[in-house]
Amino acid sequence: MKFGGSSVADLERIRHCARRVVDRAAVQPVVVVVSAMGQTTNELLAMARALIDPPPARELDMLLSTGERGSMTLLALAITALGRQAISLTGSQCGIITDHQHGRARIVEVRPFRVLDELAAGNIVIIGGFQGVSYKRDVTTLGRGGSDTTAVALAAAIDADCEIYSDVDGVYSADPREVEDAARLDSLSYGEMQALARAGAKVLHSQAVQLAEERGIAIYARHSRPDVTGETVIRKNPPTRPGVRAVASDASIVAINLSLQTGASRHVPEVIRKLAPLGLRHLRIGHHGATGFLSQAQRTDSSEALARLGAFARSIGRDLAGIECVEGFALVTCVGSGLEENPEVMARAYESLRSLEISVREVYTDSHSLAFLVAREQRARAVRALHAAFIPRLPRT
């Protein structure tokens, strides 16, 4: 069981989660992964940046990991108050081993011996998500939404189901807070869910979905309230009918353009080595330079990534023609299957945006997604327009 930040945002919600965990523990052993309470991660990040921007990556990981430590301990206390034994464990204590990439670490191994010992002792095990320990014994964090990845990795390690609980009852065809006609999707393939997560859907983290696919773990996305019974199952599904199934958006995009002087293509291998690890979306590298997008909403290390990009650009010297990092953009993405093979989908999407005088700066496509770069202030209108163009409106009951 994994509970997101909104599910543990205050003490009353923590008590509610505790009751649900205790009810489940009456019939089977339970491991729980928790995110930080509410907006704790954002608040810690803002405090760090108020002192120094960008914050040193190692120290930022040390700071941000305290958010999950607080929520895991409070949940363990709430469960204990209900008369059950519970123990809280950090990422390092439960055996989450990562590489040494601060802010965007990848899990390389899970050693769940402590978790299994505590379960055998009759304890409910509460684990702080989003964090691990590197082979250098430093605390690391897994990036925005990393608690999902923690949950999937532990489920695979102990051969358990993975249930993700949040304030929505599954994955919807759009954010139901923005699109009135958004409908819950009963099931999604791993590829579709990864595309949605990368596009800005906040229910699951893309790295978690990738790990679930590699390990063959089905993910059940559910509401944290037991009286809300809907769910979305993410698993290896048979191919769905080609077309758009959902629309997602990312409102905090920085458009990056690094240009090389004519005849400076010898720097291209270095551009690849420096930019590829930054995790830019739709990254394109050629002999003239590189372009890509940085999502500020989906990362805790965006300031550091931009600082590293600037330092690299300066190192090129006279062979640099210029570098631009322009804010104020959003990516609005249609997600489904067979999209790049169907030009009618792109034409219809483009026309739906043009009819509302929404200016499309660029278009990007692959087998599961069709993304439009628009001005940030036009994002919500673009989402509603694309949803109306492709997702049938369900009859009211």
Side-chain angles (χ1 to χ4, degrees), residues 360-376:
V360 177
R361 310 298 179 93
E362 295 178 26
V363 182
Y364 299 86
T365 183
D366 59 37
S367 60
H368 285 297
S369 63
L370 176 62
F372 297 89
L373 183 69
V374 301
R376 183 180 299 167

Side-chain angles (χ1 to χ4, degrees), residues 18 68 77 79 111 139 164-165 187 268 290:
E68 281 71 18
L77 293 173
I79 291 170
R111 303 171 183 171
V139 170
I164 306 290
Y165 294 89
S187 65
V268 169

Side-chain angles (χ1 to χ4, degrees), residues 121-199:
N123 288 321
I124 297 171
V125 181
I126 315 298
I127 292 169
F130 176 65
Q131 63 188 267
V133 62
S134 75
Y135 54 87
K136 293 184 179 181
R137 298 186 180 180
D138 273 334
V139 170
T140 54
T141 63
L142 308 178
R144 290 280 188 186
S147 294
D148 294 340
T149 308
T150 302
V152 172
L154 282 166
I158 64 175
D159 193 25
D161 292 332
C162 185
E163 303 169 359
I164 306 290
Y165 294 89
S166 67
D167 57 356
V168 291
D169 57 333
V171 182
Y172 276 68
S173 57
D175 187 338
R177 294 168 296 186
E178 292 188 339
V179 179
E180 183 180 357
D181 297 320
R184 190 183 72 249
L185 303 170
D186 292 332
S187 65
L188 286 165
S189 69
Y190 292 121
E192 290 169 334
M193 189 63 242
Q194 273 191 273
L196 271 172
R198 287 194 297 266

